[in-house]
Structure formats: structure tokens, C-alpha cells
Amino acid sequence: PEVAALFHVACRAFCPSAELVRAVVMGRPSKTKNQKKSRSSAIHVAQEEYASVPHSFVFHRGQIGKNVRELIMNMRRVMEPFTAASLKVGKKNTLKDFVSVAGPLGVTHFLVFSKTSIGVNFRVARLPRGPTLTFKVTQYSLVKDVVSSLKRHRMHEQQFTHPPLLILNNFGVKEMHVKLMATVFQHMFPSINVHKVNLNTIKRCILMNYDPETQLIHFRHYSLKVVPVGMSKGMKKLLQEKFPNMSKWEDISELLVKGANLSDRKST
């Protein structure tokens, strides 16, 4: 029963695939054979694309505190959209329960947090045959802590409809364990074709920096914004839809040439 309940919750947690197929199926009733073929082809392509990318479960094992529980929710946010964002973990669920439902759902990675008297541990497991990486979390900041420290922050729902861009720094050393970590991290996210990628879909990035001296990995999650370059300040404001107050100007050229002491405020 516990496995069945977990499977039901996990199926509901992977709502992007259901919505993706439902959006294709629930269109207008097909009237011709060509429409039926195109609809079935679209469903097949959508299912193949969704099944070909890595999927993950982010959960905890054992007793954890309030902050670690919120850290898990933040990590699920990072791994969206190909993670079980609303996964519920029961007290009686064992690791075998998660493994048994991972196969039918196409889950490829487990991200597991646990807490001991010494500190917080983090494991990354590749399914079905490993490897498993184990880390000790020395420091962490929650999303609410980062947002409260910023004067302006950019975070909206559209940023999480596409996976983040992964950037690895200082992982090109000769040690085998470092190469293994880099390989596991790369396969946690969908691969990117630089010739076909749409830049408008890259709204976030994950930076992992390895320090060979301390053997620590710094994990950072950033919001990306496209900014125009190679033009005047006035033209940048126009392209970013920040329209200045032009009541004191004699000609539009003052905006394009001088920038006219533009501020960040929009005109009323």
C-alpha cells in the first residue's frame, strides 16, 4: 500500500508530462486522416522528448529540521521542470519504494538529504546501477535569505518552465573522483545543442566551482537576463521598455545620442 500511494503521488508530481500530452490531445476533434496522423505524431514526439531527458526525485531520509526541509524544496525548484515538485514522503516509505516507482516514471537520479548530529549530508545517486556520490553540506543559504538580501530580485514562474544551464568550473583535473563528479553532474540535466538551442529558453544557470585546495564544491543558482550591448544608453532603455520622460527634450536625437541623463524610472 505504501508503494502504491507513493506511485500515485509521484505520478501526480510529474505534472509537466501529463500537461504536455493533455495539451496535444485535448484540441479540436480531428476531421481528417491527416489531422489524426499529425496529432498522434505530435503526441509521440512529445513523449519521446520528455522521456529522453533526465528526471529526478529530491527527498530526505531520516529526521530533518525545518531548514533542511525548506532546503529540499529549494533544490526541487532548482531541478524543475524535470523533477517531482510535489513529491510527498511518508514515514513508512523506504528507499526500495522510491526505486520501485522510479523505473516506470523514468526517474534517473535521486537527490537525497539527511541530517545527523554532525551536520547535513547530501547524496546524488544514478539509477539503476549507480554511481552514488556522498557530500557533506558545510554551509547553505535558502532562497528567502538570498531574496531578503537583494534590493531587486528577478524570479518568476516562466524561468522554471525550462531546465537551467549547467556551468562546471575547475573540474578539468586529472583525479578520477573529480572526473566522476563532473560526469554525474552533467548527466543530471538535459544536454544542449548549441546550434539549435533557443536563447530565450535559458533563463537560469547553475554554477558549480570546485576548489582543489579545500576540495569543496560551491553550488550557485543564478537568474539570467539578456542585456543589449554595443549601443547608447538611451537605446538600451528603449529596448528594455523603460521609456523616459521626454517632455523637456527638443528632439528625439537627444535620447539616442546623449542618453539624456536617463534614470530607471518609467514615465507616467
Side-chain angles (χ1 to χ4, degrees), residues 6 9 22 28 63 96 103 129 152 156 170 173 176 189 197 204 247 251 256 262:
L6 178 63
V9 173
R22 193 181 299 114
R28 291 182 177 180
Q63 297 293 328
K96 292 183 179 179
R129 297 181 179 86
R152 298 179 181 179
H156 49 83
N170 288 336
V173 296
M176 290 301 300
F189 303 93
V197 65
R204 300 178 292 134
S247 60
D251 192 86
L256 303 178
L262 293 174

Side-chain angles (χ1 to χ4, degrees), residues 36-46:
K36 290 182 179 179
K37 289 182 179 180
S38 61
R39 186 176 65 171
S40 60
S41 177
I43 295 175
H44 182 70
V45 171

Side-chain angles (χ1 to χ4, degrees), residues 177-192:
H177 68 283
V178 179
K179 293 182 178 180
L180 178 62
M181 287 191 296
T183 302
V184 173
F185 292 151
Q186 288 174 348
H187 287 82
M188 286 172 56
F189 303 93
S191 58
I192 295 178

